[in-house]
């Protein structure tokens, strides 16, 4: 964004808001005096404390390695089974005995999508649905179109948002 | 003002005699943009202060393993964004706040914050920004205040440039609507 774009937006916002005088918009936040002079030393102090309180390496490795391996396996199994259920098209409002709230929470936590945000974008952007949908996904996320469709529908169904026509694919 | 490039700072951190000094230079270079990015998300100075310290401590711990696949700048912004959003999520859960109440809570914090000195229009725009969902707020702030390129933002938020453009476009519309109605 160029300075002039920014200025233009600010001026537009100023004009809308009852003609309040335009000017450079800084946000209005400030910090206590000399805050940025002291912050680096505060951070160094905390790092120093953390270093002196560090548990010896050998103990850490012995206790955490098995726990992390188990956690990784549990997460991998949970994600794989969730995705397989979606891919198989078993989702029809309820996913394998889990209620909608659970599914929503699981999916939102997994892909970190705000359903309202998504819905608004579908409504008002000029992008195709595919562009928007895949914009949220990383390469390792859901890569099957149908699974994605179920995934998004599950979010929107939960919020009683009727987007049947909007969410049909463009292909 | 810190004149070192990111590559120089990373080299100094990894290969220099004094990694503490090199890290201190990194903190001095990025403390302000990172602090302001966090502050605009969590509003209250004390919260932003805690989070910015956590961000740099995490960065310190991870920097030895930092492979340089992304730029130091986008990497620090990613940590900061995740920490700030995580903080807001925890806050929502702790107080069982739905979206609308979280917005009100942040707006109240803005009004009560002794370190907020915005004029009427700044306050109005800030309230409009607070009416956006968290992720959209991040996109708007990065683009509007930090004047960040969509390309960099895409790396930080792990989202396509197209989705970010749409998000920003929509955020602006919402802010305009909010200001018209208030």
């Amino acid at each position: 964004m160029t300075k002039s774009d920014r200025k233009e937006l600010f001026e537009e916002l100023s004009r809308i808001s009852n003609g309040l005088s335009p000017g450079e918009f800084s946000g209005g936040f400030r910090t206590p005096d000399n805050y940025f002079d002291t912050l680096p030393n505060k951070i160094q102090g905390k790092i120093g404390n953390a270093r002196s309180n560090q548990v010896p390496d050998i103990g850490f490795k012995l206790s955490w390695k098995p726990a992390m391996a188990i956690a990784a396996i549990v997460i991998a199994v949970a994600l794989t089974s969730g995705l397989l259920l979606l891919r198989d098209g078993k989702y029809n409002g309820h996913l394998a005995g889990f209620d909608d709230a659970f599914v929503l929470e699981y999916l939102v936590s997994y892909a970190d999508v705000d359903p309202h945000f998504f819905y608004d974008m579908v409504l008002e952007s000029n992008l195709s649905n595919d562009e928007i949908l895949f914009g949220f996904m990383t390469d390792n996320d859901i890569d099957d179109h149908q699974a994605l469709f179920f995934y998004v529908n599950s979010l929107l169904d939960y919020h009683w948002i009727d987007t049947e026509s909007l969410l049909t694919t463009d292909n | 003002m810190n004149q070192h490039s990111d590559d120089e700072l990373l080299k100094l951190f990894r290969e220099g005699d004094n990694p503490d000094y090199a890290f201190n230079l990194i903190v001095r270079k990025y403390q302000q943009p990172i602090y302001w990015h966090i502050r605009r998300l969590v509003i209250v100075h004390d919260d932003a202060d805690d989070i910015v310290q956590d961000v740099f401590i995490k960065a310190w711990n991870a920097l030895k393993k930092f492979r340089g696949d992304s730029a130091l700048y986008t990497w620090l912004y990613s940590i900061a964004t995740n920490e700030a959003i995580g903080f807001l999520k925890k806050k929502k859960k702790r107080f069982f706040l739905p979206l609308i109440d979280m917005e009100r809570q942040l707006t109240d914090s803005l009004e009560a914050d002794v370190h907020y000195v915005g004029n009427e229009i700044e306050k109005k725009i800030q309230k409009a920004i607070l009416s956006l969902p968290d992720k959209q707020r991040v996109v708007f702030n990065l683009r509007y205040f930090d004047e960040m390129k969509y390309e960099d933002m895409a790396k930080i938020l792990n989202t396509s440039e197209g989705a970010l453009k749409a998000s920003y476009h929509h955020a602006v519309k919402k802010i305009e609507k909010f200001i018209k109605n208030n």
Side-chain angles (χ1 to χ4, degrees):
Chain A
M1 175 187 264
T2 63
K3 285 271 179 200
S4 65
D5 289 341
R6 191 162 170 254
K7 180 92 178 159
E8 199 177 295
L9 171 61
F10 177 78
E11 280 170 0
E12 191 180 344
L13 293 173
S14 303
R15 184 179 49 73
I16 296 160
S17 53
N18 300 323
L20 285 166
S21 56
E24 191 63 27
F25 179 50
S26 67
F29 296 105
R30 68 170 184 185
T31 58
D33 292 342
N34 306 319
Y35 174 67
F36 291 114
D37 296 334
T38 56
L39 183 60
N41 292 338
K42 258 203 273 188
I43 291 167
Q44 285 290 355
K46 280 199 173 178
I47 289 170
N49 287 342
R51 207 186 281 151
S52 59
N53 292 335
Q54 253 176 5
V55 179
D57 266 3
I58 183 72
F60 179 83
K61 279 177 188 163
L62 287 174
S63 59
W64 278 97
K65 265 196 173 172
M68 285 177 75
I70 291 166
I73 291 165
V74 169
I75 291 167
V77 169
L79 289 177
T80 311
S81 32
L83 288 176
L84 285 175
L85 285 169
L86 286 169
R87 284 217 171 102
D88 292 348
K90 287 178 184 168
Y91 178 69
N92 55 1
H94 295 280
L95 179 61
F98 298 119
D99 62 20
D100 282 352
F102 175 85
V103 174
L104 179 82
E105 191 179 335
Y106 166 73
L107 292 172
V108 169
S109 317
Y110 173 47
D112 199 22
V113 171
D114 180 333
H116 297 293
F117 170 48
F118 174 82
Y119 178 60
D120 288 341
M121 278 179 51
V122 172
L123 277 180
E124 297 203 19
S125 75
N126 293 321
L127 296 172
S128 73
N129 297 334
D130 283 0
E131 267 182 299
I132 295 167
L133 287 170
F134 285 102
F136 283 114
M137 302 296 156
T138 64
D139 294 341
N140 299 322
D141 282 333
I142 303 167
D143 54 5
D144 176 78
H145 204 125
Q146 194 186 19
L148 192 57
F149 178 79
F150 282 121
Y151 155 73
V152 174
N153 262 344
S154 70
L155 293 178
L156 299 172
D157 282 350
Y158 180 75
H159 288 269
W160 300 306
I161 296 169
D162 178 18
T163 55
E164 206 170 293
S165 57
L166 288 167
L167 287 172
T168 48
T169 65
D170 295 334
N171 297 333
Chain B
M1 190 72 185
N2 196 325
Q3 296 299 323
H4 294 282
S5 72
D6 286 357
D7 286 344
E8 284 169 345
L9 289 171
L10 284 172
K11 199 173 173 198
L12 200 60
F13 179 81
R14 285 179 186 138
E15 299 166 20
D17 297 335
N18 191 346
D20 282 358
Y21 170 71
F23 189 72
N24 197 282
L25 291 177
I26 292 173
V27 173
R28 286 182 189 278
K29 181 172 181 180
Y30 284 109
Q31 60 173 343
Q32 295 211 28
I34 294 295
Y35 169 85
W36 289 118
H37 173 55
I38 294 167
R39 176 77 184 275
R40 288 185 198 109
L41 291 174
V42 302
I43 304 299
V44 178
H45 165 75
D46 289 342
D47 294 335
D49 181 38
D50 287 341
I51 296 168
V52 76
Q53 291 181 46
D54 288 345
V55 167
F56 282 110
I57 290 166
K58 285 196 172 161
W60 163 267
N61 289 326
L63 203 54
K64 284 165 202 153
K65 291 174 195 160
F66 180 66
R67 291 179 305 172
D69 293 341
S70 57
L72 181 62
Y73 150 78
T74 53
W75 183 67
L76 286 172
Y77 263 90
S78 296
I79 301 173
T81 305
N82 290 338
E83 287 292 309
I85 295 286
F87 170 85
L88 292 172
K89 275 184 185 165
K90 269 186 216 155
K91 201 168 181 177
K92 274 179 213 167
K93 273 188 189 161
R94 200 185 316 138
F95 297 109
F96 302 103
L97 291 172
L99 186 68
I100 190 79
D101 288 340
M102 189 64 194
E103 175 195 334
R104 195 175 303 140
Q105 214 260 348
L106 287 171
T107 307
D108 290 346
S109 302
L110 186 73
E111 298 278 5
D113 191 354
V114 291
H115 299 297
Y116 186 77
V117 290
N119 60 27
E120 277 310 305
I121 186 157
E122 284 172 329
K123 206 175 272 184
K124 202 168 195 176
I125 295 176
Q126 212 42 257
K127 283 179 185 173
I129 296 169
L130 286 175
S131 71
L132 303 173
D134 290 343
K135 266 195 153 179
Q136 212 168 34
R137 220 151 49 88
V138 173
V139 173
F140 182 84
N141 286 343
L142 288 176
R143 188 75 181 137
Y144 186 68
F145 293 105
D146 294 325
E147 298 180 334
M148 190 177 281
K149 290 180 199 160
Y150 284 115
E151 191 189 344
D152 290 342
M153 225 190 284
K155 286 172 194 155
I156 292 167
L157 301 173
N158 204 16
T159 304
S160 74
E161 287 185 44
L164 292 169
K165 283 176 190 169
S167 175
Y168 181 74
H169 159 84
H170 188 60
V172 171
K173 292 278 167 217
K174 268 189 181 170
I175 290 170
E176 286 174 352
K177 195 174 167 190
F178 180 96
I179 291 175
K180 268 181 200 163
N181 296 335
N182 290 276

